[in-house]
């Protein structure tokens, strides 16, 4: 871009801009017959292919043009993973407008805030979210129309929603003759707000260039490893960081796409895995917990499922072990964030690891992994001094790269970079081979007597106990050490473990002074809109908790 030097001798290659429309064009031309299968909100299975998807995306693009949508305008979506949402991904961004994916699990007030802040002109929504639309419609004055993603016969006729349009009507009324426009590849393509546990959510505004580069890099063998031989099921939602880019990287490589819609319980997912011969999937640990519980209870196995990417929060080593050993599924532990499109690192082995023992390999794989090409990272102390890569020293994790934000939408929060690096808010180690391991979110670290205790390690130990379903560790006030770890545990149904046994379980597994001071058994852990444990809520709930004093 303009801030860089210009050589007197420029390369003589075509300067075709990197645009999202090129992905669906490619999928149509070279993988046109490859399938896209969706379990719809209605419960039935919808099946078509990339050519049909492209045709419908062009019809939708024509519809938006008729509605007066111009390059740079924002169109919101409140939708599950499904074929109509995919069409919107391409119709909106492909025609130069900006696809604003909104997390429906947020509070309606927050959704209205996000819609208004994004200045969305139209809002596409799945039937499920009709109550949200009813709640926010009058608070979103900039919206010119709400588009319900269904056939006309499902549209409410009570007039409760102003300017209600029918998605299938828009498709049916328009031609599939549409020339995708060419424009600067740095133009905005999509917008996603961070989950925002404190303050207002802030928007990450992706560009066509950043999205294409992220799709190319993340699809590589030591990233998500997606190919035309795969049947890919993104369980991670399309409303959260573009389902980790899979709606782009799957068509880019020609992989079959399988969408679970809103049906993400173990039984529904398992059925889709088997029926659609899914080979590769991606999701947060809580999703796999539900699936594994169902599979174990019903004594099932997977016939085609070979590989999964787990990220969003730390994948407990016990879960990785079960998937690998019991079900023969390779687990790629990945790390990233909304601000990073999202992929930053992936945990895969290199040639030199292949002769290692299973245990040694697992010690590598439980880390969040090496950076994928395009991303650079470093760890620094609180004064900004770079820390060594020895796998022990931990510090604040900073990243840079072409699909990492330079500032939030509308420059909210001002200049966020530190010397050109984006501070992730995560605390990590990096080993001599460049494998990064997250020890905590900086705000979740427990500060005990001036030293830091990483909560992920403590949670992983608890999760490796056969009677523990879920665990979270938080710091609570201690008169001598300021903070000490309190472990909150959800037991597996029907087991009878007590706190002394669990505390004794830590012996020899971590530094003695890291051992939680106390354990509280609870029925469920509070989860946020993206499936992460809400530690701030737990800290609030247990802020007056009195730890036993020795
Ligand atoms: P989000 O922007 O909602 O996707 O959240 C990003 C944050 O999730 C990161 O900054 C990390 O704190 C956390 N995260 C994502 N992936 C992992 C992982 N594999 N292990 C631990 N934390 C993770």
């Amino acid at each position: 871009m303009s801030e860089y030097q210009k050589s007197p001798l420029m390369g003589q290659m075509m300067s075709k801009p990197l645009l999202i429309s090129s992905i669906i064009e490619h999928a149509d031309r070279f993988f046109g017959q490859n399938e896209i299968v969706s379990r719809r909100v209605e419960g039935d299975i919808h099946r078509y292919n990339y050519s049909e998807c492209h045709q419908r995306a062009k019809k939708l693009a024509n519809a938006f043009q008729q509605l007066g949508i111009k390059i740079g305008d924002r169109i919101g979506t409140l939708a599950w993973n499904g074929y109509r949402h995919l069409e919107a991904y391409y119709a909106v961004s492909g025609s130069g407008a900006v696809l604003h994916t909104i997390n429906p699990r947020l509070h309606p007030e927050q959704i209205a805030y996000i819609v208004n802040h994004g200045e969305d002109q139209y809002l596409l929504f799945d039937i499920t979210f009709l109550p949200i639309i009813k709640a926010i419609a009058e608070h979103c004055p900039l919206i010119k129309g709400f588009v319900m993603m269904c056939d006309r016969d499902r549209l409410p006729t009570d007039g409760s929603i102003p300017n209600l349009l029918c998605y299938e009507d828009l498709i049916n009324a328009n031609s599939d003759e549409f020339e995708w426009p060419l424009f600067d590849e740095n133009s905005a393509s999509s917008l996603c707000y961070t989950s925002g546990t404190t303050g207002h959510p802030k928007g990450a505004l992706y560009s066509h260039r950043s999205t294409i580069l992220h799709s190319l890099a993340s699809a590589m063998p030591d990233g998500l490893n997606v190919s035309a031989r795969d049947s890919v099921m993104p369980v991670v939602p399309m409303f959260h960081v573009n389902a980790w880019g899979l709606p782009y990287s799957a068509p880019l490589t020609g992989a079959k796409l399988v969408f679970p819609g809103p049906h993400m319980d173990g039984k529904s997912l398992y059925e889709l895995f088997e029926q659609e011969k899914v080979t590769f999937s991606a999701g947060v640990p809580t999703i796999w917990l539900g699936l594994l519980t169902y599979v174990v209870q019903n004594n099932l196995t997977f016939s085609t499922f070979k590989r999964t990417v787990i990220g969003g929060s730390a994948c407990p080593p016990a879960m990785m072990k079960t998937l690998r050993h019991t079900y023969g599924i390779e687990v790629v532990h990945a790390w990233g964030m909304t601000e990073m499109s999202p992929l930053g690192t992936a945990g895969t082995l290199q040639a030199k690891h292949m002769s290692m023992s299973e245990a040694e390999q697992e010690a590598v794989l439980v880390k969040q992994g090496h950076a994928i090409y395009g991303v650079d990272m470093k760890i620094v102390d609180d004064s900004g001094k770079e820390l060594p890569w020895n796998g022990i020293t931990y510090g604040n994790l900073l990243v840079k790269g072409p699909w990492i934000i330079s500032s939030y939408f509308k420059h909210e929060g001002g200049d966020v970079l530190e010397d050109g690096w984006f501070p992730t808010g995560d605390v990590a180690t990096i080993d001599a081979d460049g494998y990064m391991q997250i020890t905590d979110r900086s705000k979740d670290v427990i500060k005990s007597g001036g030293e830091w205790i990483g909560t992920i390690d403590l949670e992983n130990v608890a999760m490796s106990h056969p009677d523990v379903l879920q665990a979270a560790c938080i710091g609570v006030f201690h008169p001598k050490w300021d903070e000490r770890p309190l472990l909150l545990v959800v037991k597996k149904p029907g087991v009878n473990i007590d706190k002394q046994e669990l505390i004794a379980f830590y012996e020899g597994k971590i530094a003695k002074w890291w051992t939680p001071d106390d354990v509280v058994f609870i029925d469920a852990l509070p989860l946020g809109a993206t499936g992460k444990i809400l530690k701030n809520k737990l800290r609030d709930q247990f802020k007056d908790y009195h730890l036993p004093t020795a």
Side-chain angles (χ1 to χ4, degrees):
M1 291 202 317
S2 54
E3 71 248 42
Y4 301 115
Q5 287 186 51
K6 194 151 184 161
S7 163
L9 188 61
M10 297 301 281
Q12 289 170 309
M13 292 287 134
M14 289 188 195
S15 74
K16 187 171 183 275
L18 302 174
L19 299 178
I20 285 172
S21 54
S22 68
I23 295 182
I24 195 68
E25 276 183 319
H26 178 76
D28 178 1
R29 265 175 95 70
F30 296 99
F31 307 108
Q33 300 307 306
N34 291 5
E35 276 187 309
I36 301 164
V37 178
S38 313
R39 196 191 299 268
R40 302 202 303 171
V41 177
E42 297 89 328
D44 60 343
I45 298 283
H46 175 274
R47 199 176 281 281
Y48 71 167
N49 61 35
Y50 279 121
S51 287
E52 290 166 288
C53 173
H54 189 201
Q55 262 169 15
R56 284 174 49 98
K58 287 190 283 188
K59 289 181 175 196
L60 189 59
N62 269 323
F64 287 135
Q65 206 165 52
Q66 300 220 332
L67 291 170
I69 291 297
K70 290 192 244 6
I71 186 164
D73 287 347
R74 268 81 71 200
I75 294 180
T77 62
L78 269 174
W80 299 109
N81 292 9
Y83 67 103
R84 290 185 180 118
H85 205 177
L86 187 70
E87 290 159 8
Y89 262 58
Y90 287 98
V92 174
S93 305
S95 52
V98 178
L99 181 89
H100 176 193
T101 52
I102 303 166
N103 189 334
R105 297 193 184 117
L106 295 171
H107 191 273
E109 240 172 62
Q110 250 181 336
I111 294 179
Y113 170 85
I114 288 174
V115 168
N116 292 333
H117 192 268
E119 297 172 47
D120 297 351
Q121 299 198 13
Y122 286 86
L123 184 54
L124 276 52
F125 68 98
D126 267 333
I127 305 177
T128 329
F129 306 122
L130 194 58
I132 299 181
I133 301 296
K134 284 186 178 164
I136 65 168
E138 60 172 324
H139 306 292
C140 300
L142 300 176
I143 291 279
K144 295 178 181 156
F146 295 94
V147 183
M148 192 151 146
M149 298 166 92
C150 62
D151 290 314
R152 167 145 293 272
D153 58 4
R154 289 187 181 264
L155 231 52
T157 48
D158 59 2
S160 54
I161 300 189
N163 307 318
L164 183 64
L165 299 168
C166 168
Y167 184 91
E168 290 300 332
D169 281 0
L170 292 180
I171 297 269
N172 292 333
N174 280 282
S175 139
D176 62 5
E177 292 291 310
F178 186 85
E179 194 77 26
W180 296 113
L182 294 177
F183 42 83
D184 188 327
E185 65 186 22
N186 289 297
S187 308
S189 60
S190 60
L191 176 64
C192 181
Y193 282 69
T194 58
S195 355
T197 44
T198 51
H200 279 309
K202 296 196 282 286
L205 187 62
Y206 312 113
S207 71
H208 285 260
R209 174 186 152 82
S210 72
T211 305
I212 299 276
L213 292 177
H214 176 266
S215 309
L216 286 168
S218 63
M220 287 199 298
D222 284 309
L224 305 186
N225 189 7
V226 186
S227 88
R229 292 167 296 289
D230 278 310
S231 170
V232 174
M233 174 148 73
V235 181
V236 51
M238 289 166 78
F239 55 73
H240 182 218
V241 216
N242 302 325
W244 299 350
L246 286 167
Y248 305 114
S249 49
L252 182 140
T253 55
K256 170 178 173 179
L257 263 173
V258 182
F259 289 125
H263 310 278
M264 281 177 284
D265 57 288
K267 182 172 187 288
S268 310
L269 286 180
Y270 180 78
E271 277 170 14
L272 266 193
F273 268 106
E274 289 301 298
Q275 278 163 22
E276 300 307 326
K277 299 188 169 40
V278 172
T279 55
F280 169 70
S281 188
V284 295
T286 39
I287 286 291
W288 303 133
L289 202 61
L291 180 66
L292 279 175
T293 307
Y294 175 76
V295 170
V296 171
Q297 273 168 1
N298 294 280
N299 208 10
L300 302 166
T301 53
F302 294 98
S303 19
T304 54
F305 188 19
K306 292 276 172 315
R307 206 172 64 257
T308 185
V309 170
I310 300 187
S313 40
C315 172
M319 176 182 284
M320 189 180 281
K321 256 200 166 85
T322 309
L323 286 165
R324 273 167 67 84
H325 296 296
T326 315
Y327 299 100
I329 298 165
E330 180 195 343
V331 175
V332 179
H333 195 189
W335 167 85
M337 56 199 306
T338 307
E339 289 87 337
M340 298 175 68
S341 303
L343 198 62
T345 64
T348 56
L349 299 176
Q350 302 173 35
K352 67 177 171 188
H353 298 120
M354 300 323 285
S355 55
M356 289 180 168
S357 69
E358 183 72 22
E360 286 168 324
Q361 288 185 350
E362 269 171 17
V364 177
L365 292 171
V366 294
K367 299 189 175 192
Q368 279 76 0
H370 49 79
I372 56 169
Y373 169 76
V375 173
D376 194 8
M377 60 185 178
K378 65 175 181 178
I379 43 173
V380 301
D381 66 14
D382 284 341
S383 69
K385 188 167 104 4
E386 191 161 353
L387 296 169
W389 291 18
N390 56 20
I392 298 165
T393 311
Y394 47 85
N396 301 313
L397 180 64
L398 273 61
V399 289
K400 62 157 93 172
W403 51 84
I404 294 166
I405 63 160
S406 55
S407 61
Y408 287 99
F409 183 45
K410 296 184 174 173
H411 296 282
E412 206 102 328
D415 191 4
V416 288
L417 300 191
E418 291 174 8
D419 234 358
W421 292 78
F422 177 73
T424 64
D426 286 331
V427 177
T429 61
I430 305 179
D431 68 21
D433 286 333
Y435 284 69
M436 182 275 285
Q437 184 160 29
I438 302 278
T439 55
D440 230 325
R441 279 300 283 167
S442 56
K443 58 183 188 313
D444 294 336
V445 164
I446 298 169
K447 298 193 177 102
S448 172
E451 298 285 343
W452 288 10
I453 299 177
T455 59
I456 293 179
D457 270 349
L458 299 184
E459 289 156 6
N460 284 344
V461 172
M463 295 280 289
S464 68
H465 191 285
D467 293 344
V468 171
L469 185 68
Q470 275 181 302
C473 207
I474 54 168
V476 290
F477 174 74
H478 188 282
K480 180 167 175 199
W481 302 110
D482 289 340
E483 269 185 357
R484 287 294 302 161
L486 170 67
L487 182 70
L488 306 162
V489 167
V490 181
K491 293 185 208 176
K492 284 191 181 155
V495 298
N496 203 12
I497 184 181
D498 62 26
K499 52 169 97 170
Q500 277 73 27
E501 191 186 335
L502 205 48
I503 287 177
F505 187 68
Y506 277 87
E507 221 173 289
K509 297 191 175 80
I510 44 153
K512 200 168 169 42
W513 67 275
W514 278 40
T515 309
D517 281 26
D518 205 0
V519 179
V520 176
F521 293 102
I522 54 179
D523 292 338
L525 292 172
L527 295 182
T530 55
K532 294 186 219 290
I533 296 168
L534 289 177
K535 293 224 177 150
N536 54 344
K537 214 165 186 176
L538 288 172
R539 277 193 292 266
D540 238 29
Q541 195 179 334
F542 289 92
K543 67 178 186 310
D544 299 323
Y545 190 81
H546 289 287
L547 291 167
T549 40

